[in-house]
Amino acid sequence: MKRVSLTQYLVEEQRQHQTINAELRLLIEVVARACKRISYSVSKGALGEVLGSADTENIQGEVQKKLDVISNEILLEANEWGGHLAAMASEEMETIRQIPSRYPKGEFLLLFDPLDGSSNIDVNVSIGTIFSVLKAPEGMDSPTEQDFLQPGTSQVAAGYAVYGPQTMLVLTTGNGVHCFTLDREQGSWVLTQSDMQIPPATKEFAINMSNQRHWHSPVQRYVDELLAGSTGPRGKDFNMRWIASMVADVHRILTRGGVFMYPADRRDPSQPGKLRLMYEANPMAMIVEQAGGAATDGKGRILDIPPTKLHQRVPVFLGSKEEVEVVTGYHAG
Ligand code: AHM
Ligand code: MG
């Protein structure tokens, strides 16, 4: 098998397809390198004394794990000096992070969830990093939070790393979705799947069923029909999977299809759903659409949502097109 490294892939994207420029190429390489470091930290577990709580809370009021804090620091430190960024934002930080004045600034904005699936860290279940890249407004030297509030359609790149039995990086720059596997001996990312495609039909769904009593009626109806199986209105049996790490659930869907849901529910109308638009839903929606799937908030395309807040939450329905269309249709009806 001819091995294509991430570096080779990116150089070709820049030269032949001109989908990225040199600065974006550097940005992606730096993020990938940071993910490699996070992967090594994650895999050390108790031996690296990285498990457990950091005894701090993030802006969402969630207790941070040590690895949440470590991963955030790794991404900040890796990205601040390269000259490719105008500013950064993270799930773990209340407001945006400017590039220190001693370093040059670049044209891009980087957003990330440094370690998604925090509840799975200490139990050795797959977790991951999610990132989204936007362009800073022209000539903007010190971006504000407002400058980050661009719809998902403005993303120039998005990706995630999943730290599972294998460490993988899944990337799109708007020219399909490609998967790289970390070769730990060589320390390099190797292209292992080009042009990932989500099958349009599926018999598998993912939702946290323990919230069922709180759901709104369109989601109740949709999931009831899936559970009714071959003798119900859908006429086929469905299987359920819930890893509670969005990266791992989305990765399964990219690999073999499925529909992932984190709906809004009746509990707290001020928090529509759990997942955050800017660094969870938008990058995953771009990846899923680039792989031929669909991603909505129940009403419309996630990528079209005009953001109002950096840490805004949205309902998420994504994956195999036919199922996303059914559940979205139930919201309209
Ligand atoms: P996190 O960013 O605090 O880890 O929360 C996001 C995670 C997603 O990865 C996952 O899909 C969801 O929360 C799981 O939620 P639940 O705890 O309801 O199963
Ligand atoms: Mg998260």
Side-chain angles (χ1 to χ4, degrees):
M1 177 176 103
K2 182 179 171 286
R3 280 168 69 109
V4 175
S5 68
L6 176 66
T7 303
Q8 282 170 310
Y9 164 81
L10 291 172
V11 168
E12 270 173 33
E13 277 302 296
Q14 184 191 341
R15 271 196 211 139
Q16 285 176 7
H17 307 292
Q18 277 135 34
T19 52
I20 57 173
N21 64 15
E23 208 166 282
L24 183 53
R25 174 161 67 88
L26 175 66
L27 187 162
I28 293 167
E29 293 238 38
V30 171
V31 170
R33 209 175 304 142
C35 290
K36 213 189 296 178
R37 280 186 61 196
I38 296 172
S39 167
Y40 292 140
S41 277
V42 164
S43 66
K44 280 188 196 140
L47 302 178
E49 297 184 15
V50 294
L51 301 183
S53 156
D55 296 324
T56 47
E57 274 191 5
N58 67 11
I59 167 72
Q60 345 269 343
E62 299 157 345
V63 175
Q64 291 177 302
K65 297 287 169 89
K66 280 186 198 160
L67 271 169
D68 285 324
V69 177
I70 293 168
S71 307
N72 194 51
E73 283 304 315
I74 289 175
L75 279 157
L76 291 174
E77 198 205 308
N79 280 287
E80 67 180 9
W81 55 273
H84 51 283
L85 288 184
M88 291 180 256
S90 160
E91 175 178 323
E92 303 302 335
M93 302 186 305
E94 178 166 5
T95 187
I96 64 167
R97 173 68 64 100
Q98 299 291 348
I99 299 301
S101 55
R102 60 185 182 280
Y103 299 125
K105 291 203 180 107
E107 59 180 308
F108 296 105
L109 302 173
L110 175 65
L111 298 100
F112 46 82
D113 177 353
L115 203 56
D116 185 60
S118 300
S119 71
N120 282 327
I121 296 176
D122 292 346
V123 293
N124 197 14
V125 169
S126 295
I127 45 186
T129 299
I130 312 173
F131 66 93
S132 160
V133 186
L134 296 165
K135 272 194 129 173
E138 203 75 36
M140 176 56 68
D141 211 30
S142 309
T144 62
E145 202 168 299
Q146 193 62 35
D147 296 320
F148 280 78
L149 303 182
Q150 306 176 31
T153 46
S154 302
Q155 293 172 108
V156 293
Y160 64 81
V162 56
Y163 313 115
Q166 304 129 47
T167 289
M168 288 176 165
L169 181 78
V170 170
L171 174 72
T172 183
T173 56
N175 186 24
V177 180
H178 311 284
C179 180
F180 302 82
T181 303
L182 181 61
D183 179 334
R184 284 178 182 271
E185 279 89 60
Q186 309 274 343
S188 68
W189 294 103
V190 182
L191 181 65
T192 44
Q193 205 183 340
S194 298
D195 247 318
M196 299 178 91
Q197 289 291 324
I198 301 175
T202 182
K203 289 172 142 189
E204 203 159 65
F205 69 101
I207 192 164
N208 184 342
M209 285 295 298
S210 69
N211 296 326
Q212 183 172 26
R213 69 193 182 284
H214 305 296
W215 298 337
H216 296 295
S217 55
V219 180
Q220 297 275 10
R221 173 185 171 194
Y222 177 68
V223 175
D224 278 351
E225 291 183 0
L226 301 184
L227 294 175
S230 55
T231 54
R234 299 301 308 275
K236 58 180 179 179
D237 291 329
F238 283 80
N239 183 33
M240 196 198 86
R241 285 286 182 275
W242 184 251
I243 303 175
S245 286
M246 190 192 202
V247 276
D249 278 311
V250 169
H251 193 72
R252 183 189 60 252
I253 287 170
L254 275 169
T255 308
R256 67 174 189 216
V259 55
F260 171 95
M261 295 169 274
Y262 215 115
D265 62 36
R266 294 203 196 85
R267 279 172 292 181
D268 180 359
S270 72
Q271 305 281 17
K274 176 177 187 191
L275 300 172
R276 273 66 41 129
L277 174 63
M278 300 300 295
Y279 41 80
E280 292 177 323
N282 269 343
M284 289 309 198
M286 180 177 181
I287 291 167
V288 164
E289 284 199 7
Q290 281 287 318
T296 77
D297 66 351
K299 291 191 216 109
R301 212 177 154 213
I302 284 176
L303 295 179
D304 285 334
I305 297 174
T308 53
K309 283 192 301 214
L310 190 58
H311 298 288
Q312 168 177 356
R313 294 174 194 255
V314 281
V316 174
F317 302 88
L318 62 76
S320 292
K321 215 171 191 156
E322 289 176 12
E323 291 306 317
V324 175
E325 277 166 9
V326 175
V327 67
T328 305
Y330 287 2
H331 283 76

